[in-house]
């Protein structure tokens, strides 16, 4: 029994000893854990804190609102409109097929859309939002929002996207924006981080492109806390960016859309310039296109339709087109001769219907000839021989110099893409470009705006404005940037003899107001608003001697693209010129028959700021004009100054 | 023949038992569990749902169970040991054969109202059985080879079954707890030295076996070890847990980011934030002071248990108390070592704090027996 007692006591003692040893070991380990904690949290705390911050904070760029573009009266030309899109997060959706089926019942989703969405959902991480539908209408968005409880994982989102409320009317001026391409980035040195944002759009063409830096604005930054799955939890701080500045144009939206509508059906261009300030009131090219298509992302078929159209809707013909100015150039020839003093306004030239120069016959458009013509009658009836003679006497150098003084061949500094330079050809230029000697025939051709002479409709309008005012009128397209008025293009006097200018203007007056004038049919009947102009019909082909003998083929019998260009330039009112207009109708036929009526309608529209009274037209034409006005009114969009406008 | 039987008349009876409860232990356990409620409330973003409220209910239930177990005389539990061990082993066999597969492992039996994890039950059953064994075994035979071989088999049988689930972490914990009890029971040093040597040899053999035909452990277990050894090697994959856990913990600093201000857990960078990695949230929000305080609470529980064990008079009570304490210690120290990047991620929850019912219930039953031993000890 005692042995047993001792055994028990020994065992107990050993157990106590061992229990204490175990406890000590446990406490030692606990101490080790405590030291590790201290090391991590105190010694290395700062480092881990940084890692935690890095984890949670994301810096995001806030795209600024793009600057708006207005017409001269505050009508929005390029605006930002909320664009709605609907996204789907797979993880939150649960049964994605069910959700998609429900969405398809609410939204116009095609099978190919659904296939794309399914593919994206399968490829992306489960927590990445996939765009189900972009640019959905407010109605569709509301339908989805109302049904939100049945659509887990579906989120309607709002962003800003560019829109061109006037559609085709301003496509060639405002241009359009589009997604930033790698090519765009490669052209820019040190590109703005904004451009790398997905879905960010930049100006591609026209003003949008040329004024990109002003319109874009400055990005803001936002520090956001993100969760492990990338979801934004809250905003920590925000530095607002600077919205792009607003741009006001000199263009009158109403006139612009009128021009566009009046030219529709033709491949044509029209430019209206304010004689006083050089403000471009309308710069229209037809046919046009809807720039909104490009913002949305144009389909291949639509794009092909635009590029395949022989009327070239994508071309801004009013500023990009180089046309032989034809007889509208005759004022340049006449002015060069008058200023040179080689001929007086009353001095006559005999026109037998042609002029023979170094064994080559240069024909007048009138085979029978005009007989004796002076400056006024020659311009009025557009006699060619008179100008051949003038040009031979004054020489190409002075002719080209005068053309440039009047704006032909001058590349104006306007924020537009692909501005045409026109051409006032000289001997050196021909030598340098074609490595060919100048021949006298070149001078003869140039005298009537054929051959090597080229001008854009814009240049022709400027030329007319300069002739009308005697000042060096410069075209201006941007009236104000960010509310700051830009310098006007009023210009200083060109230093030409006022008498000579007056003679030219009177001759131009006769073109539209003398019964024998080539554009008498397109006169303005209102005495206070009389216009002075000049027709032009420029050949795009050579008429051979053989053809001339058999009789020149009538324009109507030619294929469209070989017909003559129809041109007309004018200014009005004659006594105190307010606007100058240039119209070019590609392959339109005769300037007097095709271009002049268009120019007169546009001029009257500009002078009256809307539909002119019928009394402004000759009485015989009023019925036809009334029909035309009615027809165009239906086509014209309503573009009265809106409340949204900011001037 | 235990000393216990001779002393029955000195033990308290009836309601007097309540006075002999180890109230300090009850308060410590409740304090630790309260830390758990607080953290579960925090990781749910300041809501009682889905975790904190459920956890409080479970703790309330477990606490009641603990009291009931404590009221039952300790010799009743001793007499139940063999049965508990038998049931535990049987359930482990059943779960190996029919158990539901979850998270790549067969560990659960669905009893309808509760998902029973037999390996949890086994932890306490093994402690009971070993305590009873050494209570029964005359002390002088403790170190005789045969009498050492028997508990070794008793320990290794459930350990092997748990490993087969496969759950290497719990298997090692079960074996370690058993070994610790044998050590306290007085088994000779040499056996432990031999086992340790063998263990080292086994570990090296395991590593040698990799990518051979006789590979000893599963691929995913190898990968966990890899990740443990170099968490940065796969920061978004397997190492993500550890890396983010360490960031959470370290960024807490001295005083932490404040209650419910832990960015790592609130923004979901921290995985398993309500279960295995809940300690990181605590460390992030309350800093070193908070984390060390919890560690101190845990250590105090161990100290109280050992002190109580030494005061007890019979071997069963003593060994049971030390066994329960050892299990508890292994639980929290392995979890903490794991989330601090000192041990591989083996899926051991933080006792009483991590969200989870079955582990808490078993643990509280264990402490209930400790209390029972305390109450029914002869005075």
């Amino acid at each position: 029994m005692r042995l047993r007692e001792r055994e028990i006591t020994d065992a107990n003692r050993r157990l106590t000893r061992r229990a204490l040893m175990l406890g000590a070991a446990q406490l030692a380990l606990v101490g080790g854990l405590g030291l590790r904690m201290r090391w991590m949290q105190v010694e290395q705390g700062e480092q881990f804190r940084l890692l935690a911050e890095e984890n949670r904070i994301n810096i995001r760029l806030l795209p600024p609102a793009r600057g708006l573009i207005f017409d001269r009266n505050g009508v929005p030309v390029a605006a930002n409109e909320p664009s709605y899109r609907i996204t789907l997060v797979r993880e939150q959706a649960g049964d994605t097929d069910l959700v998609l089926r429900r969405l398809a019942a609410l939204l116009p989703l095609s099978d190919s859309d659904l296939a794309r969405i399914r593919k994206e959902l399968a490829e992306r991480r489960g927590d990445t939002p996939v765009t189900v539908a972009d640019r959905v209408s407010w109605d569709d968005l509301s339908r989805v929002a109302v049904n939100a409880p049945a659509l887990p994982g579906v989120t309607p989102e709002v962003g800003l996207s560019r829109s061109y409320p006037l559609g085709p009317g301003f496509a060639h001026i405002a241009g359009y924006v589009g997604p930033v391409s790698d090519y765009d980035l490669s052209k820019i040195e040190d590109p703005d981080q904004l451009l790398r944002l997905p879905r960010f759009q930049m100006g591609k063409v026209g003003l949008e492109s040329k004024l990109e830096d002003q319109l874009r604005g400055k990005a803001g930054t936002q520090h956001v806390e993100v969760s492990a799955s990338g979801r934004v939890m809250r905003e920590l701080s925000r530095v607002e960016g600077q919205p792009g500045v607003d741009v006001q144009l000199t263009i009158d939206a109403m006139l612009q859309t009128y021009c566009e509508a009046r030219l529709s059906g033709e491949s044509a261009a029209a430019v209206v310039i304010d004689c006083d300030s050089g403000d471009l009131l309308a710069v229209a090219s037809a046919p046009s296109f809807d720039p909104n298509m490009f913002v949305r992302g144009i389909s291949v078929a639509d794009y092909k339709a635009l590029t395949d159209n022989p009327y070239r809707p994508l071309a801004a013909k009013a500023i990009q087109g180089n046309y032989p100015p034809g007889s509208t150039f005759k004022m340049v020839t006449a002015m060069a001769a008058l200023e040179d003093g080689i001929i007086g306004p009353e001095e006559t030239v005999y026109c037998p219907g042609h002029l023979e120069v170094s064994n080559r016959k240069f024909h007048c458009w009138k085979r029978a000839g005009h007989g004796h013509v002076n400056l006024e009658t020659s311009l009025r009836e557009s006699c060619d021989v008179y100008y051949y003679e003038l040009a031979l006497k004054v020489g190409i150098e002075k002719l080209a110099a005068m053309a440039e003084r009047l704006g032909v061949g001058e590349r104006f500094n306007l924020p537009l893409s692909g501005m045409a330079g026109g051409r006032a050809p000289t001997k050196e230029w021909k030598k340098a470009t074609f490595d060919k000697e100048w021949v006298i025939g070149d001078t003869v051709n140039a005298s009537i705006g054929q051959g090597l002479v080229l001008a854009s409709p814009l240049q022709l309008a400027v030329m007319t404005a300069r002739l009308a005012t005697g000042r060096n009128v410069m075209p201006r397209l941007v009236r104000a940037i960010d509310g700051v008025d830009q310098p006007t293009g009023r210009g200083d006097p060109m230093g030409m003899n006022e008498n000579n200018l007056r003679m030219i203007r009177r001759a131009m007056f006769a073109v539209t107001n003398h019964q024998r004038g080539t554009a008498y049919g397109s006169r303005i009947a209102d005495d206070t608003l009389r216009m002075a102009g000049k027709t032009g019909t420029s050949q795009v082909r050579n008429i051979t001697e053989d053809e001339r003998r058999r009789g020149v083929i009538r324009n109507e019998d030619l294929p469209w693209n070989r017909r003559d260009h129809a041109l007309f330039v004018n200014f009005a009112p004659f006594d105190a010129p307010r606007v100058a207009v240039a119209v070019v109708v590609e392959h339109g036929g005769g300037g007097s028959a095709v271009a002049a009526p268009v120019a007169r309608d546009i001029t009257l529209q500009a002078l009256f700021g809307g539909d002119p009274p019928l009394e402004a037209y000759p009485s015989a034409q009023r019925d036809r004009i009334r029909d035309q006005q009615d027809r165009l009114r239906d086509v014209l969009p309503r573009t009265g100054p809106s409340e949204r406008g900011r001037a | 023949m235990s000393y216990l039987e001779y002393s029955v008349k000195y033990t308290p009876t009836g309601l007097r038992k309540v006075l002999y409860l180890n109230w300090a232990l009850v308060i410590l356990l409740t304090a630790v569990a309260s830390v758990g409620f607080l953290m579960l409330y925090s990781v749910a973003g300041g809501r009682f749902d889905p975790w904190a409220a459920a956890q409080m209910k479970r703790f309330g239930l477990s606490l009641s169970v603990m009291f009931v177990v404590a009221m039952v005389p300790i010799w009743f539990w001793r007499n139940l040991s063999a049965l508990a061990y038998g049931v535990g082993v049987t359930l482990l066999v059943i779960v190996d054969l029919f158990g539901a597969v979850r998270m790549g492992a067969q560990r659960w039996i669905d009893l309808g109202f509760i998902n029973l994890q037999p390996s949890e039950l086994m932890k306490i059953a093994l402690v009971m059985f070993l305590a009873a064994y050494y209570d029964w075994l005359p002390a002088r035979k403790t170190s005789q080879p045969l009498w050492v071989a028997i508990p070794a088999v008793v320990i290794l049988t459930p350990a092997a079954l748990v490993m087969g689930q496969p759950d290497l972490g719990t298997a090692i914990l079960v074996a370690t707890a058993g070994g610790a009890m044998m050590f306290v029971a007085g088994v000779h040093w040499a056996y432990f030295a031999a086992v340790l040597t063998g263990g080292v040899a086994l570990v090296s053999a395991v590593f040698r076996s990799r990518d051979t035909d006789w590979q000893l452990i599963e691929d995913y277990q190898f990968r966990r070890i890899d990740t443990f050894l170099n968490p940065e090697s796969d920061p978004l994959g397997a190492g993500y847990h550890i890396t983010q856990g360490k960031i959470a913990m370290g960024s807490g600093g001295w005083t932490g980011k404040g209650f419910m201000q832990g960015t790592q857990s609130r923004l979901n960078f921290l995985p398993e934030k309500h279960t295995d990695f809940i300690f990181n949230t605590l460390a992030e929000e309350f800093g070193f002071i908070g984390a060390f305080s919890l560690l101190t609470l845990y250590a105090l529980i161990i100290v109280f248990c050992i002190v109580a064990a030494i005061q007890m008079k019979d071997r069963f009570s003593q060994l049971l108390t030390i066994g329960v304490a050892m299990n508890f210690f292994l639980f929290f120290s392995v979890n903490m070592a794991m989330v601090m990047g000192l041990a591989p991620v083996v899926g051991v929850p933080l006792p009483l704090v991590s969200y989870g019912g079955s582990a808490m219930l078993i643990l509280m039953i264990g402490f209930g027996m400790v209390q029972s031993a305390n109450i029914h000890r002869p005075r």
Side-chain angles (χ1 to χ4, degrees):
Chain A
M1 205 58 211
R2 265 189 73 193
L3 196 84
R4 226 185 123 67
E5 290 267 334
R6 243 178 76 189
E7 193 184 319
I8 290 173
T9 322
D10 277 356
N12 246 335
R13 220 178 265 153
R14 178 183 288 173
L15 189 141
T16 304
R17 203 162 56 228
R18 292 257 171 125
L20 286 174
M21 280 161 73
L22 182 69
Q26 287 174 335
L27 286 183
L29 281 171
V30 165
L33 289 175
L35 284 178
R36 169 78 174 179
M37 257 176 231
R38 210 194 113 86
W39 179 74
M40 274 175 74
Q41 297 195 279
V42 180
E43 266 88 72
Q44 293 212 307
E46 198 51 45
Q47 200 178 322
F48 281 117
R49 212 185 335 275
L50 279 177
L51 287 172
E53 290 292 287
E54 242 172 64
N55 255 348
R56 79 181 177 112
I57 293 175
N58 251 2
I59 299 174
R60 304 197 162 196
L61 283 183
L62 296 171
R66 196 173 173 83
L68 307 180
I69 303 178
F70 298 102
D71 92 329
R72 65 185 296 115
N73 298 315
V75 177
V77 169
N80 299 321
E81 64 177 18
S83 97
Y84 307 104
R85 65 178 184 145
I86 290 169
T87 60
L88 177 63
V89 179
R90 173 157 56 89
E91 265 181 4
Q92 296 164 11
D95 185 351
T96 43
D97 271 335
L98 178 72
V99 172
L100 277 180
R101 263 202 308 283
R102 286 181 179 158
L103 271 178
L106 298 171
L107 298 169
L109 292 176
S110 68
D111 285 346
S112 65
D113 287 337
L114 287 173
R116 173 191 64 80
I117 295 162
R118 289 218 171 83
K119 187 161 165 275
E120 264 189 70
L121 283 172
E123 284 170 356
R124 301 284 189 82
R125 275 177 49 172
D127 51 23
T128 314
V130 167
T131 304
V132 173
D134 212 346
R135 295 179 175 277
V136 295
S137 68
W138 174 250
D139 286 348
D140 285 344
L141 188 86
S142 323
R143 259 202 299 282
V144 171
V146 164
N147 288 291
L151 299 166
V154 174
T155 321
E157 290 182 8
V158 186
L160 281 182
S161 82
R162 199 64 156 173
S163 83
Y164 303 98
L166 300 178
F170 278 84
H172 294 125
I173 302 170
Y176 50 82
V177 296
V180 183
S181 67
D182 290 340
Y183 176 69
D184 292 327
L185 286 175
S186 72
K187 282 194 301 184
I188 309 167
E189 227 177 279
D190 190 22
D192 192 332
Q193 281 305 308
L194 268 177
L195 298 179
R196 300 188 190 278
L197 278 184
R199 292 166 57 84
F200 191 80
Q201 298 200 310
M202 67 181 285
K204 293 289 191 175
V205 184
L207 276 167
E208 291 274 31
S209 164
K210 294 286 175 176
L211 298 181
E212 172 68 23
D213 291 344
Q214 287 98 315
L215 289 168
R216 187 192 301 149
K218 295 259 183 304
T221 51
Q222 183 193 27
H223 290 232
V224 289
E225 190 176 86
V226 293
S227 73
S229 57
R231 177 171 288 270
V232 176
M233 306 305 284
R234 64 183 168 134
E235 189 177 272
L236 299 173
S237 70
R238 173 189 271 258
V239 180
E240 284 299 340
Q242 248 178 341
V245 299
D246 293 346
V247 172
Q248 189 177 28
L249 303 181
T250 59
I251 304 283
D252 180 337
M254 194 135 83
L255 187 64
Q256 172 78 12
T257 38
Y258 176 82
C259 292
E260 208 74 51
R262 181 68 183 83
L263 296 175
S264 69
E266 302 280 2
S267 175
V271 174
V272 183
I273 188 168
D274 184 309
C275 289
D276 188 51
S277 62
D279 281 2
L280 291 167
L281 301 176
V283 180
S285 307
S288 188
F289 61 94
D290 184 356
N292 293 305
M293 285 198 300
F294 282 85
V295 184
R296 285 172 206 140
I298 190 167
S299 71
V300 175
D302 284 344
Y303 190 69
K304 196 165 153 48
L306 288 177
T307 50
D308 286 355
N309 189 332
Y311 282 22
R312 295 175 294 128
L314 291 175
K317 300 178 184 103
I319 50 147
Q320 295 171 347
N322 273 319
Y323 300 97
S327 300
T328 59
F329 193 71
K330 282 176 180 167
M331 280 85 82
V332 175
T333 310
M335 202 57 201
L338 288 173
E339 285 288 290
D340 201 39
I342 53 159
I343 194 167
E346 298 307 327
E347 230 170 284
T348 60
V349 166
Y350 181 74
C351 166
H354 66 266
L355 180 70
E356 207 153 328
V357 183
S358 55
N359 291 330
R360 201 181 143 193
K361 246 185 187 173
F362 289 88
H363 290 269
C364 184
W365 68 270
K366 194 171 177 183
R367 297 207 70 185
H370 290 92
H372 290 278
V373 286
N374 62 10
L375 174 67
E376 186 171 323
T377 52
S378 71
L379 198 71
R380 186 180 81 200
E381 290 161 41
S382 205
C383 171
D384 292 337
V385 172
Y386 179 83
Y387 295 92
Y388 296 156
E389 294 275 10
L390 258 53
L392 289 175
K393 284 186 189 156
V394 77
I396 187 63
E397 302 306 331
K398 283 177 181 158
L399 198 60
M402 178 54 70
E404 286 194 343
R405 282 177 79 184
L406 290 171
V408 175
E410 181 174 356
R411 208 185 295 267
F412 302 108
N413 182 25
L414 295 181
L416 292 170
S417 308
M419 294 274 290
R423 188 195 297 148
T426 59
K427 291 174 182 171
E428 292 84 57
W429 170 83
K430 189 180 178 188
K431 180 83 182 147
T433 311
F434 296 119
D435 197 21
K436 278 187 186 153
E437 290 304 323
W438 188 267
V439 293
I440 196 70
D442 290 334
T443 308
V444 174
N445 272 333
S447 72
I448 58 161
Q450 292 281 167
L452 298 168
V453 183
L454 290 174
S456 69
L458 173 66
Q459 288 171 343
L460 292 177
V462 171
M463 173 191 85
T464 312
R466 288 183 181 173
L467 285 170
T469 60
R471 280 180 284 104
N472 192 30
V473 176
M474 293 296 284
R476 178 173 82 148
L477 183 65
V478 176
R479 187 175 183 178
I481 293 182
D482 200 17
V484 178
D485 281 339
Q486 304 297 299
T488 72
R490 185 178 165 81
D492 298 322
M494 288 187 293
M496 291 181 190
N497 188 317
E498 190 53 38
N499 276 327
N500 294 342
L501 283 166
R502 200 173 300 128
M503 297 314 298
I504 298 277
R505 289 177 204 142
R506 271 187 44 198
M508 288 173 75
F509 183 80
V511 170
T512 48
N513 293 290
H514 190 280
Q515 290 206 350
R516 300 191 61 183
T518 51
Y520 180 67
S522 300
R523 66 195 176 280
I524 290 174
D526 187 327
D527 270 336
T528 60
L529 300 173
R530 295 274 175 187
M531 75 177 195
K534 180 70 193 89
T535 56
T537 305
S538 67
Q539 288 170 14
V540 292
R541 65 197 179 105
N542 282 318
I543 298 174
T544 59
E545 280 301 316
D546 186 45
E547 183 186 337
R548 220 173 270 282
R549 225 170 294 122
R550 282 187 281 112
V552 176
I553 305 172
R554 283 152 47 87
N555 249 308
E556 294 80 75
D557 301 332
L558 282 166
W560 174 77
N561 61 0
R562 298 196 59 204
R563 291 179 201 166
D564 299 338
H565 292 318
L567 297 95
F568 193 78
V569 299
N570 70 282
F571 63 89
F574 175 71
D575 304 317
R578 280 164 53 199
V579 295
V581 177
V583 171
V584 175
V585 180
E586 281 188 351
H587 311 295
S592 60
V594 178
V598 175
R600 174 184 57 179
D601 291 344
I602 291 173
T603 305
L604 281 170
Q605 198 80 18
L607 291 178
F608 281 95
D611 279 349
L614 290 173
E615 289 69 41
Y617 288 92
S619 50
Q621 301 170 6
R622 287 176 191 166
D623 287 346
R624 187 176 57 77
I625 294 296
R626 186 187 305 116
D627 290 349
Q628 179 186 297
Q629 284 183 356
D630 289 346
R631 204 177 62 243
L632 285 179
R633 224 180 328 236
D634 291 341
V635 181
L636 272 181
R638 297 289 97 209
T639 58
S642 85
E643 286 167 27
R644 281 201 292 164
R646 286 185 267 164
Chain B
M1 285 300 257
S2 160
Y3 185 71
L4 191 63
E5 267 116 282
Y6 303 97
S7 316
V8 172
K9 56 191 173 202
Y10 299 110
T11 60
T13 52
L15 278 178
R16 290 194 59 207
K17 287 181 178 181
V18 178
L19 292 176
Y20 290 90
L21 269 174
N22 189 339
W23 281 104
L25 198 55
V26 175
I27 289 166
L28 281 173
L29 290 172
T30 310
V32 169
S34 303
V35 171
F37 306 150
L38 198 68
M39 292 330 294
L40 289 172
Y41 178 80
S42 171
V43 294
R47 282 186 301 272
F48 282 103
D49 290 320
W51 300 309
Q55 182 85 345
M56 287 161 103
K57 277 185 213 145
R58 284 173 183 166
F59 182 70
L61 178 77
S62 303
L63 203 63
S64 318
V65 170
M66 185 192 89
F67 282 126
V68 171
V69 171
M71 294 302 121
V72 177
I74 188 67
W75 49 85
F76 175 82
W77 296 118
R78 190 197 59 183
N79 297 343
L80 216 60
S81 316
L83 180 67
Y85 181 77
V87 168
V89 171
T90 312
L91 285 178
L92 277 177
V93 172
I94 290 175
V95 85
D96 272 11
L97 295 178
F98 309 109
V101 176
R102 286 217 196 140
M103 320 262 288
Q106 280 185 335
R107 293 176 190 173
W108 308 78
I109 292 179
D110 195 346
L111 293 182
F113 64 99
I114 189 169
N115 286 316
L116 187 71
Q117 199 170 355
S119 59
E120 292 292 334
L121 184 68
M122 197 63 232
K123 283 176 192 162
I124 193 73
L126 182 66
V127 166
M128 286 166 75
F129 190 68
L130 284 174
Y133 172 79
Y134 282 109
D135 186 48
W136 164 80
L137 187 72
R140 63 192 146 79
K141 293 184 180 170
T142 307
S143 291
Q144 291 174 10
L146 175 68
W147 303 109
V148 171
I150 290 171
V153 171
V154 163
I155 293 167
L156 290 177
T157 306
L161 286 170
V162 169
M163 198 139 116
Q165 286 181 347
D167 187 352
L168 181 67
T170 308
I172 290 174
L173 290 193
V174 166
T176 311
M181 286 188 71
M182 286 174 76
F183 172 76
V184 176
V187 175
H188 198 274
W189 285 103
Y191 289 104
F192 296 100
V195 168
L196 220 60
T197 315
V200 170
L202 183 69
V203 167
S204 61
V206 163
F207 278 98
R208 289 277 178 82
S209 77
R210 187 167 195 178
D211 297 328
T212 63
D213 294 338
W214 48 283
Q215 189 164 311
L216 291 171
I217 58 172
E218 300 289 329
D219 280 343
Y220 86 94
Q221 290 165 328
F222 270 125
R223 281 197 297 275
R224 278 189 175 177
I225 294 169
D226 287 346
T227 314
F228 159 62
L229 294 174
N230 185 13
E232 281 75 21
S233 66
D234 187 11
L236 290 177
Y240 184 80
H241 287 45
I242 293 176
T243 308
Q244 295 298 342
K246 282 166 79 176
I247 290 175
M249 180 142 191
S251 62
W254 264 110
T255 54
K257 297 175 186 169
F259 184 49
M260 305 219 296
Q261 303 296 316
T263 56
Q264 286 287 104
S265 54
R266 223 163 31 72
L267 302 175
N268 281 329
F269 287 105
L270 195 59
E272 305 281 341
K273 57 187 178 185
H274 63 291
T275 56
D276 292 0
F277 282 82
I278 195 161
F279 186 63
N280 302 71
T281 307
L282 174 89
E284 184 184 19
E285 298 192 348
F286 295 105
F288 175 68
I289 292 172
F292 195 77
S293 302
L294 182 66
L295 187 65
T296 309
L297 286 179
Y298 279 130
L300 279 176
I301 290 175
I302 301 297
V303 169
F304 269 79
C305 284
I306 288 174
V307 168
I310 290 168
Q311 287 172 346
M312 287 167 190
K313 298 293 192 296
D314 67 300
R315 282 168 78 82
F316 178 76
S317 298
Q318 289 178 314
L319 286 170
L320 179 94
T321 304
I322 284 167
V324 169
M326 184 65 196
N327 257 318
F328 188 70
F329 168 80
L330 284 174
F331 250 120
F332 79 77
S333 60
V334 169
N335 174 275
M336 284 188 183
M338 171 178 106
V339 299
M340 283 192 270
L342 290 173
V345 177
V346 286
V348 175
L350 193 60
L352 299 178
V353 176
S354 286
Y355 180 75
S358 112
M360 179 193 270
L361 183 67
I362 299 290
L363 205 64
M364 293 301 277
I365 290 174
F367 280 111
M369 288 183 211
V370 169
Q371 294 285 13
S372 170
N374 207 48
I375 292 167
H376 300 99
R377 87 170 190 237
R379 281 157 223 271

